[in-house]
Amino acid sequence: EGPEIQEGEMPDLVGNRVEDATKKLDNQDLELDIQVEEEENMDYEEGTVFRTSPAAGDTIRTGDTVTLFVAKGMKKELMPSLTGMTQEDAEKAIQTLVEDLKLVVEVVEDYQDGVREGTVLKTEPSYNQNIQTGDTIKIIVCAQKKAKMPDLVGKDLQTAKDLLDYAGFTNVTVTPGASGPKKDVVLSQSHEKSAEVAIDTEIEVVVCVGPVTKADVSFELPGGGGEDPGKVTVVITNVTTGELIEAVTEVRFNPETR
């Protein structure tokens, strides 16, 4: 007859050091075949059991194979130097490292005078610091300088220009708009107030041209075809802006004296 087969219950060994887990299995007196497999696991300390096969609570018998899955140390590398590269070149330079260590890459925009847009300013972690499996690295890239767009509507043109200049905007276009009682008051702006806008963006400011001082008046005399022979249409246009002031003004006259 063969040796007597005994049974026991698989203990919960997750979180135990591998040495302690092995002792607990030996105490079962089942002459188990204990196998240890090391795998990377960011959630457990190195040398700690994070999974077993069979699982805790399963029945184990004399001579069964029990596998302990143990966390091994994270793979480590040194952060390469990316400063001064373009963003595209930097991402290519670390592509293999990212794949090997399953890194998470974040690109963050910042601004620095005298540095070309798209150039890497620095990295986090910095050059030559340790990085390991699952780490997040940040690549800080120089972006266009931006500023918050001021509220210009209702302000006089000089004040609007001063506000834009103070914010750093230099590419400003002034366009004449509708007529009104106050000349050079801003009627609209090309970008909404408080928007973050690159400082070299063209900013259009539409201003009031002031009250009408000169108008072009044209008359459309009645023709045939059943039109009222005593009606004339007057079209009044602002000469400065081309704005239509009035399109249908009826003037009655005696057609007998036409």
Side-chain angles (χ1 to χ4, degrees):
E1 294 183 4
E4 183 181 354
I5 303 298
Q6 297 181 342
E7 292 185 350
E9 183 179 299
M10 181 67 184
D12 184 1
L13 302 176
V14 173
N16 284 252
R17 302 290 299 176
V18 64
E19 300 86 357
D20 297 333
T22 301
K23 287 179 181 179
K24 290 179 180 180
L25 289 174
D26 287 340
N27 290 338
Q28 296 277 343
D29 293 327
L30 296 177
E31 299 180 4
L32 299 169
D33 177 19
I34 302 172
Q35 301 291 323
V36 175
E37 292 191 15
E38 291 187 327
E39 293 183 4
E40 289 185 355
N41 190 306
M42 293 181 288
D43 298 324
Y44 289 85
E45 293 183 5
E46 183 178 358
T48 301
V49 176
F50 64 87
R51 182 164 61 89
T52 63
S53 178
D58 287 352
T59 299
I60 50 177
R61 297 176 177 84
T62 302
D64 279 355
T65 297
V66 174
T67 304
L68 304 177
F69 295 89
V70 179
K72 68 178 181 179
M74 295 291 102
K75 189 176 180 181
K76 295 181 180 180
E77 296 286 352
L78 295 177
M79 184 68 191
S81 176
L82 305 178
T83 302
M85 294 184 179
T86 65
Q87 178 183 337
E88 182 179 1
D89 288 344
E91 290 176 343
K92 287 179 180 178
I94 62 170
Q95 183 175 353
T96 300
L97 194 61
V98 169
E99 293 173 354
D100 286 349
L101 297 185
K102 298 180 176 60
L103 301 173
V104 178
V105 179
E106 293 182 4
V107 177
V108 180
E109 291 187 341
D110 198 359
Y111 175 77
Q112 184 173 312
D113 284 329
V115 179
R116 184 185 298 273
E117 180 185 357
T119 301
V120 177
L121 300 173
K122 61 179 180 178
T123 59
E124 297 176 3
S126 58
Y127 169 60
N128 235 21
Q129 288 190 327
N130 284 324
I131 50 176
Q132 65 181 24
T133 303
D135 277 355
T136 296
I137 61 174
K138 292 183 180 181
I139 302 176
I140 292 84
V141 177
C142 188
Q144 283 186 313
K145 187 176 182 180
K146 294 182 179 181
K148 185 174 290 188
M149 178 60 56
D151 185 5
L152 308 176
V153 175
K155 295 179 173 60
D156 64 85
L157 179 58
Q158 188 56 55
T159 299
K161 286 182 175 180
D162 290 343
L163 289 171
L164 290 169
D165 183 66
Y166 182 78
F169 297 106
T170 55
N171 188 6
V172 180
T173 300
V174 179
T175 303
S179 59
K182 293 184 179 180
K183 185 180 180 181
D184 287 342
V185 169
V186 177
L187 302 175
S188 64
Q189 58 193 81
S190 57
H191 295 75
E192 293 184 4
K193 64 178 182 180
S194 300
E196 291 287 336
V197 182
I199 60 172
D200 60 355
T201 302
E202 181 181 2
I203 309 300
E204 182 183 21
V205 177
V206 179
V207 298
C208 175
V209 296
V212 177
T213 56
K214 184 177 181 182
D216 181 22
V217 181
S218 61
F219 299 89
E220 295 181 12
L221 298 177
E227 292 187 24
D228 184 349
K231 172 185 174 182
V232 62
T233 300
V234 181
V235 179
I236 306 174
T237 306
N238 186 336
V239 173
T240 306
T241 65
E243 175 192 10
L244 187 66
I245 299 172
E246 187 145 14
V248 184
T249 298
E250 294 186 15
V251 178
R252 308 298 299 182
F253 71 102
N254 185 350
E256 299 298 329
T257 59
R258 181 175 179 175

